[in-house]
Amino acid sequence: MGDYRVLNTRAPRIDGPAKATGQAKYADDFKMPGTLYAAILQSPIAHARILHIDTSKAKKLPGVKAVVTSREAGLIKYGVSPARYDETLFAHDKVRYVGDEIAAVAAFDQDTAQEALSLIKVDYEELPAVFDMFEAMKEGAPQIHNEFPGNMNAEVHQEFGDTDAALAACDLVIDHTFLNKRQDAAFIEPHSCLAVYEPSGRLTLYTSTQVPHYVMRTVAMTLQIPVGNVRVVKPYVGGGFGPKCEATPLEMSCGLLSKVTGHPVKMSYSREQVFLHSRARHQFYAEMSLGVMKDGTMVALKNKAVLDGGAYTSFGIATVYYSGSLLGGPYKLKSMKYDGYRVYTNKPACGAQRGHGGVAHRACFEQLIDMTAEKLGMDPIDMRLKNIMMTGDMTVNELDMSSLGMKECIEAIRKGSDWNNKKGKLPKGKGIGMACGFFVSGAGYPIYRSDTYHSTVVIKLSEDGGMANVLTGSAEIGQGSDTTMAMIAAETLGISLDNVRVYSGDTDYSVDLGAYSSRQTLMTGHATKEAAEEIKSKIALYLSQELNVPIASITFGDGIVKFDGGPGNFDKLRTNYIKEHRGWTDPPSGEYLTFREAARLAYLRAGTIVGTGKYKPPKLGGSYKGAAVGTSPAYGCSAQIVEVSVDLDTGQITVDGMTDAHDCGLAINKMSVEGQMQGSLSMGLGECLFEEVKFDSRGRIINPSLGEYKIPTALDMPKVKSIIVESNEPNGPYGAKEVGEGAIMPTIPAILNAIYDATGVRINELPVTSERLFMALKKNAEGAKI
Amino acid sequence: MKKAIQLTINGQPVEASVSPNQTLVQFLRDDMGLTGTKHGCGLGDCGACTVLLDGKAVNSCLVLAVQADGCQILTIEGLAENGKLHPLQQAFVDKGAIQCGFCTPGMILSAKALLDEKPNPTELEIRTAISGNLCRCTGYQKIVEAIGEAAEVIRFREES
Ligand code: FES
Ligand code: FES
C-alpha cells in the first residue's frame, strides 16, 4: 500500500456533525411558502379492471387545488430498463396489485388531501388474481400484462461449457433447493419529495433518492418536460439499499401536481406506502446441482431460478440475470448452466436490494458446498480453498477478477474465529458455519444504452486558494460517499481533509449515475481523482511560469508545495499574498509555499481554477446474450464465519458471534468500510432469521409496519469481528473497490451452515424462525426413529 | 379548535396553540421548525422521533402536543452547548456510529436518557436502552461503542 496522508485512515465522516446535531436536512425537512400537500389514491384490489373514475366530488372539496389521474398524466410508459417499460404513472385500464396508483391530489393541507382521496369514486370490475409465482406460471393463470403471456416477465438461459456432460463425469453430484421470502429494505426514512415547478418551465425535485440522474430522466420523460429543465436535488437520504434506485410515483405525482397548480407540492410515503411501493428483495426459488471430483475439485454447476417479480418489472431484468451471473465465482468451475425466470404476480413490484439478485442463490450455493464437503469428509474451509479463484482469474462467464483477496479473507476469518479449534468440536446445540461471496464494484454498463460517462466531477478552488469544492451528482445515502470523495480529493491535491468541501447529489453539479451496484467509490472516485489531478497540473503550470522552474520539479503534499524537494524561492508570492489579505486572521507562514498561496497565484493568472474528471468503464464482458450484466471493473469479495446456539427444545436461535473479512481493495476509510460490513451483516441476519413481507389471501400486506415486520434491533446483533483485507485493485482509484453490498453475500449461508452444524438439520427456506427450525428438528427426529 | 399550551423546549419557554390531535413530533417539526426530530413510522415502531420529555425518552409520534403542556422537552437541537458537541454527539461522530443519520437524533437521545440514569452502563444495558431505536445502516456495533465511550468521557468530566 502507498504512503497516504488522508486515505486509508479512520477519518470521521465529514457529514457527522450535521447529522449528530439534527442540522442535516432530509427531503421531508424542506418547506416552502405556498406548499401544497399531496396524497395518492392506491388500489384496494389486487387485480381489477377500472371501469370509471369520478373525481368531481374530490375536486369540489374546499382546499383541494388539483386532482390528477391518467387523463392528466397521460399514458407514457416508464420503468427502469427501456426494454421493459411496463408502468404508467397512474393505472388506466387495470390495477395490478393492492397499492397500484390511480390518482393523486394536491390540497392546502394534509388532512384535506386525504379527505379528497376518499371522495374519488372508482368503479372496478374485480378480476381473478394470482399471488404465487408457481401458480402464475401455470396454464390458465390470470394474465397480468397482455404483452407477457404466461406472466413471463423475463427469461434467461445461459450455458458455459457442456454442463450435463460435465456433471455426468463427476464423482459426486449434490442437489439443493432454496426459497427465501420477500424482504423489505426497511430504510428508516420513508420516501419524501418536494417538487417546485417554476413559471420558466423548470422543475426541481428535492427528493429522497439514490439516483438523481435516473430520476431526472424518468421524470422528464413521463411529464414531458425537456430533460434540461428538470433538476433533481438529493438532500441527505435516510438509507436506500436499492429500492430508492428508480423514479417513484411519489416523485412524478409531486412534479405533475406542481406543474398543474404552479405551487410547490410535497408528499411523503407513510410506512405502509413504503411497503406497498416495495421495489425491494424478490422472492427467489433456487434449484441447484454441484458436481465435484473425489478430491473436492468443483467442476460443474447447474442453477435454476424462479423470481416472484410482483406486478411490474422495476429492476427485475437485471435481477434475474444477476442470479445467474454472480454465482459461479469466487470458485473455479469448468462449466455452468443457468435458467432464470422472472414471473409477474399481483403483488407490489420487487426490484434491486443490497446484493442485487445474488443473495438467495449464494445462500443455496454455499450450503451446497458445505453439503458436498461433508460427503467428501472435507473441512468446508479446505474445500473452498481448494477451488478458490485468485487475482487474475476469470469466471466461466468471463468476469475478470482483476484483484481478489478471497484466500486472504478465508484465512483471516479462520484465524479470527478460531475455527480450527471449534469446527467439529462444539457440543450439540452449538454450531459454526462459514461462507464466501463476491460482488461488483459498479455495473459495467448504465441502465439505458448509452455512451454516457458514468461519473463526472468538477473541483473548483476558492478564490483565496484555501478550499477545494468538489461538485458531484453522486448520491450520499449514508454509505459515506461524500467523505470518500473528500478524502480522494484531499489526498490527490496534497491538502488536509478540512480544506475540502463536497457538494453532491444535484444533477446540476455533474453527471453521476448514482448510488447503486456499489459504484460510487470506484467510479466517482476515479472522476474525483482526475479532477484533482487537473487542478494540480494547472497550478504547477502557473507556478513554473511565475517562478521560472521546471514543472517536473514541483510536488504537492501536506498542504505545501515543494520545488525539487525543497522550499525553493517563493518570497514574492508570499509577500504578494499577505499584501492582498491584509487584516485577515490566517496569513500563510512556514518555510514552504502553501497550497493556498500557489492556488491563489493560479487564480490571479487564469481566473477561477477548475478541474474536471470523468469516468466510464472500458468495454467489459463476453459476447454472449446478457454478458453485460455482472460485468464490473472490479470485484470485492468476502468470507464470514458465524457461531450460533440453538435451543434444541424450542428451535430458538441465538447468533453468538460473527467474524467477517472483506477485500475492498484499498480501504479509503477504514471506519466506513467496517460500517458497511457490519450493516450488511445485520441486514443479512434479519433476512435469514425473521424478515418476511406477508400477504393475505387477497394480496394485502398483513405486516406493513416496522412493528410487525421485524428487522434486527441492537439486542439481536452479536458482537462482530470485522477484518479488512486489502488488495490492490488495478482498475480502482488508488486501488479501491466495493464493500457496500458484497459484504451481505456470505451472511445467510454462513448462518444456515452454522445451524446445520448445531442441529444436523438443513434448512432450505427462510426465514428460519424458531417455529420453522422446531418443526424441522421434529421432522428430523421422527425420520431418525423410523 | 386549538388549545393553548406552555412548555419548555431546549431550555426556551414556548407558548403555542395546537390542535388537539396534533402529535408532538408534528408540533416540533412543523410548527417549531425543529426538523432534527425525525419521522420514520408514526406508529411508535422505529424510535426516530425520540425526544426527552421531562428527562424520559419518548416516541414523540405517540405523544400529543397537548400532553406536553407544562413539560420540559429536549430535542437533538438542544444538546450541543455553546456550539460544542455533547460528548454523545462527539462520540457518534468519532466512532463511525452515523451512516445515513436518520436514526441518529433519536438514538442519541435514548442514549442520553440512559446515561443520565446509569452513568456506567453495561453493554447489555446500552443495547437494551436503544432497542426501541431501529437502525438499518450500522448493525449497531459502532453505536454501542460510541455510547460506551461517551459514558466514559462524561464520567471523567464529572469526576474532574
Ligand atoms: S416515528 Fe415515532 S416511533 Fe417511528
Ligand atoms: S444510520 Fe441509517 S438508520 Fe441508523
Side-chain angles (χ1 to χ4, degrees):
Chain A
M1 295 296 130
D3 173 21
Y4 297 120
R5 294 306 160 98
V6 183
L7 301 184
N8 212 216
T9 61
R10 312 183 70 86
R13 296 173 63 110
I14 57 174
D15 55 8
K19 287 176 172 174
T21 53
Q23 282 166 10
K25 291 271 180 268
Y26 299 76
D28 189 36
D29 300 339
F30 285 83
K31 235 184 181 175
M32 261 189 195
T35 296
L36 302 176
Y37 294 86
I40 298 185
L41 181 70
Q42 291 171 277
S43 170
I45 304 174
H47 200 193
R49 219 179 297 288
I50 298 175
L51 302 177
H52 184 67
I53 304 173
D54 180 1
T55 58
S56 56
K57 271 204 184 130
K59 278 184 176 147
K60 278 188 215 127
L61 183 72
V64 170
K65 283 292 281 186
V67 181
V68 289
T69 63
S70 62
R71 249 194 314 253
E72 291 74 21
L75 296 177
I76 293 161
K77 291 224 168 165
Y78 75 94
V80 173
S81 162
R84 284 288 188 294
Y85 280 173
D86 59 359
E87 298 188 63
T88 53
L89 172 49
F90 297 118
H92 60 108
D93 53 346
K94 284 215 299 187
V95 287
R96 296 182 173 86
Y97 73 96
V98 173
D100 219 348
E101 296 82 7
I102 297 164
V105 173
F108 285 118
D109 59 54
Q110 195 62 59
D111 291 347
T112 310
Q114 287 297 338
E115 195 184 336
L117 289 189
S118 68
L119 296 175
I120 300 174
K121 195 168 165 315
V122 185
D123 294 331
Y124 299 100
E125 177 195 330
E126 193 160 349
L127 298 168
V130 60
F131 305 115
D132 177 84
M133 55 184 168
F134 297 107
E135 294 297 321
M137 289 166 88
K138 285 188 184 153
E139 249 196 64
Q143 290 298 294
I144 299 172
H145 291 267
N146 289 341
E147 304 84 340
F148 297 93
N151 296 315
M152 192 51 65
N153 170 232
E155 253 183 80
V156 181
H157 302 284
Q158 295 178 335
E159 183 161 17
F160 308 94
D162 185 342
T163 313
D164 283 326
L167 284 173
C170 284
D171 293 331
L172 177 68
V173 178
I174 302 213
D175 306 325
H176 193 45
T177 64
F178 185 76
L179 185 71
N180 75 328
K181 293 296 157 58
R182 172 187 289 246
Q183 196 186 14
D184 188 81
F187 33 76
I188 308 299
E189 181 209 20
H191 307 75
S192 184
C193 177
L194 171 68
V196 186
Y197 188 82
E198 294 161 46
S200 62
R202 180 136 221 241
L203 174 67
T204 305
L205 300 180
Y206 302 86
T207 183
S208 172
T209 183
Q210 298 174 239
V211 287
H213 175 80
Y214 291 120
V215 171
M216 172 188 78
R217 289 178 62 93
T218 307
V219 167
M221 179 179 77
T222 53
L223 302 188
Q224 295 284 285
I225 300 172
V227 69
N229 274 350
V230 179
R231 175 182 174 210
V232 175
V233 181
K234 176 215 67 69
Y236 284 115
V237 167
F241 312 113
K244 289 182 185 170
C245 273
E246 57 194 285
T248 61
L250 176 128
E251 290 159 334
M252 288 179 263
S253 299
C254 285
L256 176 62
L257 287 165
S258 182
K259 191 176 163 197
V260 169
T261 61
H263 284 258
V265 173
K266 186 172 169 178
M267 177 163 40
S268 302
Y269 276 156
S270 67
R271 181 54 60 181
E272 181 177 8
Q273 286 177 302
V274 172
F275 277 86
L276 288 175
H277 177 64
S278 180
R279 316 284 153 154
R281 175 108 58 229
H282 288 68
Q283 178 173 29
F284 297 81
Y285 167 74
E287 208 174 271
M288 249 172 240
S289 308
L290 174 65
V292 299
M293 303 314 287
K294 262 201 223 91
D295 67 352
T297 306
M298 294 186 199
V299 179
L301 176 65
K302 213 168 162 175
N303 173 24
K304 180 182 154 183
V306 184
L307 279 66
D308 180 350
Y312 297 102
T313 303
S314 176
F315 260 89
I317 297 199
T319 319
V320 68
Y321 271 107
Y322 271 132
S323 303
S325 64
L326 291 183
L327 191 62
Y331 308 106
K332 290 181 205 152
L333 287 165
K334 295 217 166 45
S335 64
M336 181 164 83
K337 183 171 190 311
Y338 174 59
D339 297 291
Y341 306 86
R342 185 179 188 272
V343 184
Y344 284 122
T345 57
N346 290 113
K347 290 189 290 193
C350 295
Q353 189 171 321
R354 195 175 219 163
H356 193 186
V359 171
H361 286 257
R362 176 63 47 192
C364 188
F365 185 30
E366 296 283 330
Q367 281 184 293
L368 197 44
I369 295 173
D370 262 43
M371 291 158 71
T372 309
E374 188 186 16
K375 273 257 168 3
L376 295 173
M378 283 179 85
D379 179 285
I381 287 192
D382 294 335
M383 166 104 189
R384 286 175 174 85
L385 284 175
K386 184 167 180 67
N387 294 285
I388 212 72
M389 298 177 74
M390 311 281 271
T391 296
D393 284 342
M394 182 95 96
T395 64
V396 269
N397 52 333
E398 298 176 60
L399 308 182
D400 182 0
M401 301 295 146
S402 39
S403 67
L404 198 73
M406 197 63 251
K407 188 161 168 263
E408 292 79 355
C409 285
I410 296 179
E411 274 158 5
I413 58 165
R414 173 185 259 186
K415 197 156 155 254
S417 68
D418 199 17
W419 168 273
N420 291 354
N421 287 319
K422 290 177 179 163
K423 176 66 186 167
K425 297 173 186 139
L426 299 175
K428 207 157 170 38
K430 295 239 176 236
I432 186 164
M434 70 91 59
C436 299
F438 77 105
F439 201 72
V440 300
S441 307
Y445 296 86
I447 291 168
Y448 56 97
R449 244 172 232 264
S450 168
D451 288 329
T452 183
Y453 287 102
H454 294 211
S455 292
T456 66
V457 166
V458 179
I459 300 183
K460 205 170 115 217
L461 298 184
S462 62
E463 61 92 36
D464 73 310
M467 199 59 77
N469 296 298
V470 178
L471 276 64
T472 161
S474 62
E476 169 63 66
I477 57 168
Q479 85 283 40
S481 61
D482 279 2
T483 304
T484 299
M485 296 321 139
M487 291 173 81
I488 289 176
E491 182 73 48
T492 311
L493 292 170
I495 58 180
S496 100
L497 196 50
D498 298 337
N499 295 116
V500 180
R501 284 197 204 105
V502 177
Y503 299 84
S504 69
D506 185 329
T507 51
D508 272 5
Y509 293 159
S510 87
V511 175
D512 199 288
L513 301 185
Y516 70 102
S517 75
S518 296
R519 57 177 296 287
Q520 304 272 223
T521 295
L522 189 140
M523 299 197 183
T524 315
H526 265 303
T528 303
K529 181 167 182 254
E530 189 177 288
E533 273 159 1
E534 189 177 309
I535 296 241
K536 252 185 353 192
S537 39
K538 281 187 180 172
I539 298 176
L541 174 70
Y542 298 127
L543 274 180
S544 92
Q545 289 171 353
E546 182 77 15
L547 300 177
N548 209 4
V549 296
I551 290 184
S553 70
I554 303 172
T555 50
F556 297 82
D558 293 328
I560 55 175
V561 182
K562 289 185 180 169
F563 303 90
D564 283 323
N569 183 3
F570 59 86
D571 287 352
K572 63 175 175 178
L573 293 186
R574 176 149 302 167
T575 313
N576 198 32
Y577 192 100
I578 292 177
K579 213 191 295 163
E580 278 192 305
H581 295 82
R582 205 189 301 279
W584 287 25
T585 53
D586 52 349
S589 59
E591 114 184 73
Y592 291 95
L593 180 71
T594 60
F595 180 89
R596 185 158 51 121
E597 291 162 281
R600 174 71 187 176
L601 166 80
Y603 163 75
L604 293 175
R605 306 265 311 206
T608 297
I609 296 299
V610 173
T612 61
K614 63 200 175 310
Y615 178 79
K616 68 175 153 186
K619 195 182 157 353
L620 295 166
S623 53
Y624 57 92
K625 182 169 190 292
V629 190
T631 59
S632 176
Y635 296 88
C637 61
S638 48
Q640 284 162 26
I641 286 175
V642 171
E643 293 167 64
V644 299
S645 300
V646 176
D647 182 330
L648 295 170
D649 294 325
T650 62
Q652 180 71 39
I653 301 159
T654 311
V655 177
D656 300 320
M658 297 170 116
T659 309
D660 179 16
H662 189 95
D663 166 22
C664 61
L666 177 95
I668 301 264
N669 186 325
K670 294 183 188 177
M671 201 151 71
S672 295
V673 168
E674 289 167 359
Q676 287 301 304
M677 292 167 69
Q678 292 162 6
S680 290
L681 287 182
S682 80
M683 193 174 272
L685 181 142
E687 180 173 9
C688 187
L689 298 181
F690 29 81
E691 294 183 33
E692 175 179 5
V693 180
K694 294 182 187 158
F695 294 85
D696 70 7
S697 62
R698 306 193 60 190
R700 293 175 295 209
I701 300 177
I702 57 180
N703 56 346
S705 73
L706 295 175
E708 300 286 321
Y709 179 93
K710 305 266 184 233
I711 67 170
T713 70
L715 289 169
D716 296 310
M717 285 306 293
K719 250 222 164 72
V720 175
K721 192 186 254 185
S722 310
I723 306 168
I724 300 174
V725 168
E726 292 180 289
S727 61
N728 186 9
E729 170 53 53
N731 300 325
Y734 293 104
K737 54 185 182 179
E738 75 84 36
V739 60
E741 296 183 82
I744 199 176
M745 288 292 170
T747 309
I748 295 171
I751 297 174
L752 295 174
N753 286 336
I755 292 174
Y756 178 79
D757 192 47
T759 63
V761 171
R762 268 272 156 230
I763 300 291
N764 64 351
E765 184 174 343
L766 298 185
V768 197
T769 56
S770 51
E771 186 187 346
R772 190 182 306 284
L773 184 54
F774 173 77
M775 296 309 285
L777 288 168
K778 207 170 130 197
K779 207 168 135 207
N780 196 45
E782 280 161 9
K785 262 184 238 152
I786 296 165
Chain B
M1 248 192 320
K2 297 238 175 181
K3 190 177 178 308
I5 56 170
Q6 287 186 351
L7 66 171
T8 309
I9 302 176
N10 300 332
Q12 294 290 321
V14 172
E15 285 180 33
S17 77
V18 296
S19 31
N21 62 352
Q22 201 174 357
T23 59
L24 182 57
V25 65
Q26 287 168 335
F27 171 68
L28 291 171
R29 287 179 56 81
D30 302 343
D31 297 5
M32 295 290 107
L34 294 169
T35 54
T37 304
K38 298 298 172 206
H39 187 268
C41 69
L43 298 168
D45 293 328
C46 73
C49 63
T50 304
V51 299
L52 299 194
L53 189 146
D54 290 339
K56 293 261 174 303
V58 296
N59 288 327
S60 62
C61 69
L62 294 185
V63 177
L64 290 172
V66 290
Q67 289 175 292
D69 191 14
C71 296
Q72 299 266 352
I73 304 289
L74 182 73
T75 73
I76 193 70
E77 288 91 344
L79 205 51
E81 269 174 27
N82 308 324
K84 206 170 160 337
L85 297 184
H86 182 274
L88 270 164
Q89 293 171 313
Q90 191 64 53
F92 268 59
V93 172
D94 293 345
K95 286 271 155 187
I98 301 171
Q99 288 189 26
C100 80
F102 205 75
C103 69
T104 306
M107 205 60 96
I108 288 178
L109 289 166
S110 285
K112 170 137 193 343
L114 169 74
L115 299 189
D116 286 348
E117 210 159 283
K118 282 208 170 89
N120 194 3
T122 63
E123 183 181 331
L124 184 64
E125 284 168 338
I126 294 175
R127 287 185 182 268
T128 306
I130 58 165
S131 62
N133 293 82
L134 297 176
C135 174
R136 191 59 149 172
C137 299
T138 62
Y140 303 101
Q141 183 143 324
K142 292 187 183 299
I143 294 178
V144 173
E145 285 166 14
I147 297 171
E149 174 165 291
E152 235 174 83
V153 171
I154 295 170
R155 282 199 313 274
F156 181 76
R157 213 167 57 176
E158 266 152 32
E159 276 159 25
S160 55

